Amino acid sequence: MWACNVWIPFSLLWCVASVISFSALPQEEPQLGSVRVVFQTNYGDIEFGFLPTVAPKTVDHIFKLVRLGCYNTNHFFRVDKGFVAQVADVVGGRTAPMNEEQRREGEKTVVGEFSDVKHVKGVLSMGRFEDPNSAQSSFSMLLGDAPHLDGQYAIFGRVTRGEETLKKFEQLPTRREGIFVMPTERITILSTYYYDTEMESCETERSVLKRKLAASAVETERQRMKCFP
């Protein structure tokens, strides 16, 4: 057997090693924006935040629907334990009639913003038809990891509170219709609201400052009365 010695430049070895090391590093988790949305359902509240750096067009679209009140009286039409709880499209899913602006926005589609973010428990992922750019207003809250969905559906947010509410969903009786597992009882989104965590922080700090100033004024007056009766 012949032995063959091959000389490889050190710089090439360093580049290869760097690429391998870099690819082995864990991906940094995308950060949530400051806005939080709350869905108030007949089984409890669910709060979620957006991932604007991952799917900016999707985030803008869904947040506009929230601001217009489009998800009010809508429902979760699908609850597949350990998989997804899916919100119905607002056009057709609500019990309340829609005004012209709500319907116009609800019927819009958004381009498929597929990313490397993984479908793990808690993420929000857009529903769509076969056309990758057919997403409208239906989306799923992942109740478990679903790697088979990776790269095929647009992830745009993450649940921040309300895990107990989602667990209640999973305990409801269901029926199967084709590929869908659906609750036999309607899970209604009674109302929605949103807030900005950064603004809330400012309000808290302002309140603390006001209390400190008030306490300072009281102490100043006490010292004045003591020293200058």
Side-chain angles (χ1 to χ4, degrees):
M1 179 171 23
W2 292 92
C4 181
N5 295 322
V6 180
W7 180 78
I8 301 175
F10 175 77
S11 59
L12 179 60
L13 287 172
W14 183 86
C15 288
V16 171
S18 297
V19 170
I20 293 173
S21 298
F22 181 77
S23 62
L25 290 173
Q27 281 190 326
E28 186 176 344
E29 189 173 290
Q31 296 299 304
L32 289 173
S34 60
V35 172
R36 296 291 181 271
V37 173
V38 179
F39 280 3
Q40 298 181 297
T41 80
N42 52 329
Y43 289 94
D45 293 357
I46 304 169
E47 180 190 276
F48 59 86
F50 294 116
L51 296 171
T53 61
V54 175
K57 293 179 181 178
T58 305
V59 169
D60 287 347
H61 177 64
I62 296 298
F63 189 35
K64 184 169 186 179
L65 293 174
V66 169
R67 296 197 306 273
L68 289 173
C70 292
Y71 287 99
N72 295 346
T73 76
N74 195 18
H75 69 122
F76 286 81
F77 80 95
R78 179 185 188 187
V79 178
D80 199 334
K81 189 174 183 178
F83 182 33
V84 297
Q86 187 169 353
V87 179
D89 272 314
V90 296
V91 178
R94 290 165 44 109
T95 55
M98 305 184 81
N99 62 40
E100 185 177 339
E101 186 179 13
Q102 288 175 328
R103 182 170 294 278
R104 182 171 62 250
E105 293 300 324
E107 290 176 344
K108 286 183 179 179
T109 58
V110 62
V111 64
E113 295 180 296
F114 309 134
S115 66
D116 295 331
V117 180
K118 305 301 182 184
H119 279 78
V120 295
K121 184 177 180 179
V123 303
L124 309 183
S125 179
M126 290 297 287
R128 65 173 177 84
F129 297 105
E130 188 174 351
D131 181 349
N133 300 319
S134 60
Q136 291 181 299
S137 57
S138 176
F139 64 89
S140 295
M141 299 180 178
L142 272 287
L143 303 174
D145 297 351
H148 62 286
L149 302 180
D150 291 347
Q152 300 183 63
Y153 297 88
I155 290 174
F156 67 94
R158 189 183 306 125
V159 173
T160 51
R161 293 178 184 174
E163 188 174 339
E164 291 303 314
T165 299
L166 291 171
K167 285 180 180 178
K168 290 179 184 177
F169 290 2
E170 292 185 285
Q171 294 167 4
L172 295 173
T174 58
R175 67 181 189 279
R176 180 176 288 275
E177 290 190 15
I179 65 169
F180 297 122
V181 177
M182 309 168 74
T184 56
E185 302 174 22
R186 184 179 175 90
I187 303 173
T188 301
I189 301 170
L190 302 170
S191 62
T192 63
Y193 68 90
Y194 61 93
Y195 68 96
D196 193 308
T197 56
E198 291 181 354
M199 292 298 292
E200 289 296 311
S201 176
C202 288
E203 287 298 326
T204 301
E205 291 173 6
R206 187 179 298 132
S207 177
V208 170
L209 180 59
K210 282 182 178 179
R211 288 199 299 272
K212 287 182 177 179
L213 288 172
S216 177
V218 170
E219 179 60 21
T220 300
E221 180 64 14
R222 191 180 72 83
Q223 290 297 331
R224 189 189 70 78
M225 293 295 291
K226 178 181 178 181
C227 298
F228 306 101

